[in-house]
Amino acid sequence: MTPRTAPDSAVPDGAPGPGAPVRVLHATDASSSGVLAAATAIAKATAALPGFDVAFAYVPRADSPSREEIAAMMDGHVRVIRLSRSHRTAVPAFAVGILALLARRRVDVVHLHSSRAGMLGRAAALVTGHRSRAVYSPHSFAFDRSDASASSVAVLRGLEQIGAVLGPRLALVSGSEERLARRSLRGVRTAVLRNSVDAAALARPASRRTGHGPLRIVHVGRVAPQKRPDVFGEIARRWEQERRTGDSALPVARFRWLGDGERQLLGDGVEVTGWLSPAQLRAELAEADLMLFTSAGEGMPIALLEAQAMGIPCVAHPVTGVTDILVDGENGVLDGTADGLFRALASLAADAPARRRMGEAATVRITQEFDLADLAKRTLDAYRALGVRPPLDTRVPGAGEAAEHAEDAAGAPPAPGPDTAHEEGVRS
């Protein structure tokens, strides 16, 4: 199928009328890596539903796939709108572009992905009468980083609080991220929409590693401070140093970073692959023995979900999102220090049966709890739980419009819904 793409400035006019499709607009400025994978998965799932018209608007990053490749990620069923030709003008282009999109046509759901898009998009939704239809997924709060200073945390949390006034509806990608939002931000209305992967498609091939050659220890993603590449590099250099002293039984290991970015943050001793296509990334992961996930903050990392689906045990910092995936000692090891991560890696390197047992447990856990088979249903459940109007399962002309306009004009959040203990439910 030829991917559906729209000219950079072409957006159909008109507002939905009786019998019109449910219009959903996804928008992000984080058009690469995990955020792109998560957002396009949701868009693809909902676009397959009868009566849904889904669009995906973005500004490119230096490492973004092409517009055609992004369309192909959604099987060509989603209209792709690029708001800027260059990453150098991404911020102003997104601000102007999302405002123009919402001013020219009314949509039923505006789903904004990443912090910057969330702030700019909710402001645009407020002034165009879409406030009650705007849903924000940060995919990791910027203030939730274990390496951030207290002053930085305070400023970033303050910005998120301003954003919550612009639009209070948050769809969080993990239970721990939802709990963080409720602890940190006043007046938010939250629901959990877990990140998911295609577990069956990620099952490791029969040609998986047999244990010959150096141990392969990997990280996946952008080389950036959030991912703590300095810790990854420190552990790689310590591994080689201790192995060479003769005081350790450590095997020969290759530490590989699957991705690209600020390579200087890694230091010596780490191989960097550069940016990989999805197929290339899966081929690399198929050869990996262990994942060392050093991130200082996440929402729910797609890279970790994919590695676990492929049966790769993980050693990681116990940060938001990661703790939803890893059960310490079952499908990986959690430790908050570089020394603890090193010792966990060393222990697993010497224990192939433990790696195999953890890998099998990882595959089972992802298949049972994080598969995308029901992603469309969970997405609509989250939207409904957040009180997005009009109802997405019925299109009664005029239903909910008076209440919606009153709320948009007043700038106040809706009345709280039921407070439940279910992760997929609404929390107000």
Side-chain angles (χ1 to χ4, degrees), residues 84 148 218 327:
S84 171
V218 302
V327 179

Side-chain angles (χ1 to χ4, degrees), residues 290 313 329-332 347-361:
L290 289 163
E330 180 179 314
N331 56 344
S347 176
L348 288 172
D351 193 344
R355 296 200 305 272
R356 184 164 52 253
R357 184 173 60 254
M358 284 188 175
E360 291 170 352

Side-chain angles (χ1 to χ4, degrees), residues 331-357:
N331 56 344
V333 179
L334 296 168
D335 199 285
T337 67
D339 182 67
L341 295 177
F342 178 89
R343 293 179 182 278
L345 281 177
S347 176
L348 288 172
D351 193 344
R355 296 200 305 272
R356 184 164 52 253
R357 184 173 60 254

Side-chain angles (χ1 to χ4, degrees), residues 122-139:
R122 282 181 289 177
L126 178 65
V127 300
T128 58
H130 287 83
R131 183 178 187 268
S132 65
R133 303 181 182 206
V135 176
Y136 164 50
S137 294
H139 297 274

Side-chain angles (χ1 to χ4, degrees), residues 168-188:
R169 293 170 174 81
L170 276 59
L172 293 318
V173 296
S174 66
S176 57
E177 188 181 48
E178 190 255 8
R179 291 188 292 274
L180 173 67
R182 292 182 57 75
R183 288 196 309 269
S184 306
L185 303 172
R186 300 183 305 276
V188 293

